[in-house]
Amino acid sequence: MRGVSPPRHVIVCGAGVVGASVAYFLARRGVAVTVLERTGVACAASGKSGGFLALDWCDNSPLGPLARASFALHAELAGELGTDYGYRRMDTFMLSAREQGAVRGGHRVTPPGWIDGAGVVTAELGSTETTAQVHPAQFTTALIEAARGHGAGLRIAVVEDLVQRDGAVRGVRVEGETLEADTVVLAMGPWTGRLATRLKLPRIYGLKGYSVTLEAAAVPAHALFLDYRTADGRHLEPEVFPRPDGTVYVCGMRDHQPLPESAEGVEVSEAACDVLAGAAARVATTLAAVPIMRRAACYRPVTDDGLPLIGRVPGVEGAYVATGHGPWGMLNAPATGLALAELIADGSPKLVDLDAFDPAR
Ligand SMILES: Cc1cc2nc3c(=O)[nH]c(=O)nc-3n(C[C@H](O)[C@H](O)[C@H](O)COP(=O)(O)OP(=O)(O)OC[C@H]3O[C@@H](n4cnc5c(N)ncnc54)[C@H](O)[C@@H]3O)c2cc1C
């Protein structure tokens, strides 16, 4: 047993927001870290997500304390990382809308002025006290750059396997060679599932979603959650997030296509993206007939019980996993990173209890 002696060298596999957070908080406390990333920093869900953050939307679930700690950490990091990645507080509304026709009844709460389409505002879901956003790719990149500023290394490489001897981790296999480390963190998002069976971890898989980024400047900081019916009767729940960089991001549309080999192989459906752009256009005239700057698709990492895996890989001393954050990976990455860094370096997490997320559950 290594006990609580500090790790000599930690390899973090995956430069999504979770791997980036773990690397940042380890490097900040002086631990030697190397991040290995297959394709590019934030190339997958962490570069294509909504970046929406909520203080209390995970309350009444085991995620509640993690989310609250992470919401607070996001505010601290916005000052600490020394770069602008679009962090800001938002007001958040629920809307009901249809692709064709009107929703019965009028607004149930006073709508923001720019919500002038066929939708009905049904509730205020959050305020600047409780909801916020980051630009996900910029945030993930800022964490990696800050980790590098504290001495961490970043290498583009495909992690092929965990290398272990006598029940302890020895490093990872890259291009058939062993890269040595006494501690390895698996944070490869849905691709962590490729190693799950061999490592006796719960199932980890990917759930695909689509997004469009619209060019629409000066839209106020109001996040919208839509209850939307298409003309052919589908019930969808698009989310609309105006960003401070003059764009509006819209996501939704679950798709059960299997996870490809890497982020580069993720296929985008034009039709699904058009539905999302159409939904945004229905609720605000300012979002109708604006250019679509980007159509994207990505896979969020999910587990069968809906809870992330954060902690020790059972039976392999020095191996840790951090994935399965589902729809809340951007929100929960900072607390995951700090708590896991504490577990690795001190032997137990101080920030939040990780028992509910134990990979051995
Ligand atoms: C459409 C959509 C919208 C979302 N909106 C929000 C939101 O508003 N708020 C929120 O909190 N969350 C949101 N999420 C969820 C969030 O995006 C994810 O939970 C989070 O990005 C997962 O981060 P990750 O680091 O675990 O995984 P990923 O971002 O998938 O990163 C994993 C990384 O590992 C790398 N990798 C894979 N295999 C290997 C290998 N063999 N070797 C080396 N590297 C490898 C990949 O290339 C990738 O860069 C959304 C998700 C989707 C799909």
Side-chain angles (χ1 to χ4, degrees), residues 14-19 36-40 43-46 49-52 157-159 187-191 210 241 249 251 298 300-301 323 325-331:
V17 71
V18 172
L36 300 178
E37 161 56 44
R38 175 177 195 132
T39 307
C43 64
S46 302
S49 93
F52 177 78
V158 180
V159 174
M188 298 178 291
W191 291 279
Y210 295 97
F241 305 127
Y249 170 96
C251 69
C298 61
R300 68 184 64 165
T323 189
H325 290 71
W328 289 117
M330 299 310 303
L331 168 64

